[in-house]
Amino acid sequence: AARAWLAGQLAGRLEGVAGQRVSVGDVRLALFPLRLTMHRVEVGPPEDPALRVGSAEVAPGAFRIADREVVVDHVRLKGVRVNTQLPEGRDQGKQGNWLRVIVEQVEVEDLQVARLVVPAGIVLGVDDLDLLVTGSRRTPLAAAVVRAGAVRLTVPGLAAPPFSLQGGGKAGPGGV
């Protein structure tokens, strides 16, 4: 009952951030080391969610109240499915959040982009993507490694065959 209550509370908070329906199937909290794991997360309408995440594990780091910052040491996402269209433009009337969240490392396993449509009419599809991004407060993007089994890109007026992608890099004194 406590986990169901926590899942509902997290879903409600995430709905406020996302501006659309969020569902969290289950939540587990480990105290040593401190980790929050959410299972079966969906964002968007239940009949056709824009985002599905099999599991999302978050390892919090520091809370800097004077700087209004929360540092998250590590985020691990598994079984991510994207099927959405991005809006034409951002709402300039909204003010930023009073709290800044810094994520030092993001790891994504088994990501599939069924459809991601950007405003220019470009459609991206990706199967079997693994991604690891690391950074810090001083160097937000210190290193990245990516591997995509199959990438499909549809650009109006351009014929592009499917391709695969693999690469990585790290930041140096002159940039990435």
Side-chain angles (χ1 to χ4, degrees):
R3 287 189 358 214
W5 176 84
L6 184 56
Q9 291 295 310
L10 282 170
R13 303 282 182 189
L14 292 171
E15 279 181 12
V17 172
Q20 55 185 314
R21 176 195 156 271
V22 176
S23 169
V24 178
D26 189 23
V27 175
R28 296 191 183 258
L29 182 63
L31 297 178
F32 300 105
L34 185 57
R35 296 220 188 285
L36 175 72
T37 305
M38 296 178 285
H39 297 278
R40 300 180 310 281
V41 178
E42 290 186 355
V43 178
E47 62 279 358
D48 189 24
L51 175 68
R52 286 186 174 140
V53 179
S55 68
E57 181 180 293
V58 179
F63 297 95
R64 299 182 184 119
I65 295 172
D67 294 332
R68 298 180 307 177
E69 290 181 346
V70 174
V71 178
V72 176
D73 287 341
H74 188 229
V75 174
R76 177 179 292 132
L77 305 172
K78 292 183 180 178
V80 179
R81 304 294 177 258
V82 177
N83 184 19
T84 192
Q85 180 168 345
L86 297 178
E88 283 294 323
R90 294 187 53 156
D91 183 1
Q92 299 299 324
K94 289 188 176 181
Q95 296 296 320
N97 198 335
W98 68 273
L99 180 69
R100 182 168 53 173
V101 178
I102 299 172
V103 179
E104 293 190 341
Q105 185 173 24
V106 177
E107 183 179 349
V108 180
E109 292 179 32
D110 185 27
L111 179 135
Q112 181 182 28
V113 180
R115 179 183 62 98
L116 177 61
V117 182
V118 297
I122 299 171
V123 180
L124 173 69
V126 180
D127 293 324
D128 193 25
L129 179 98
D130 293 321
L131 172 70
L132 174 64
V133 178
T134 61
S136 67
R137 186 175 188 191
R138 185 179 309 205
T139 311
L141 179 60
V145 177
V146 64
R147 184 195 58 74
V151 179
R152 297 168 311 285
L153 186 62
T154 305
V155 180
L158 178 68
F163 58 94
S164 63
L165 176 69
Q166 185 169 335
K170 66 181 194 175
V176 178

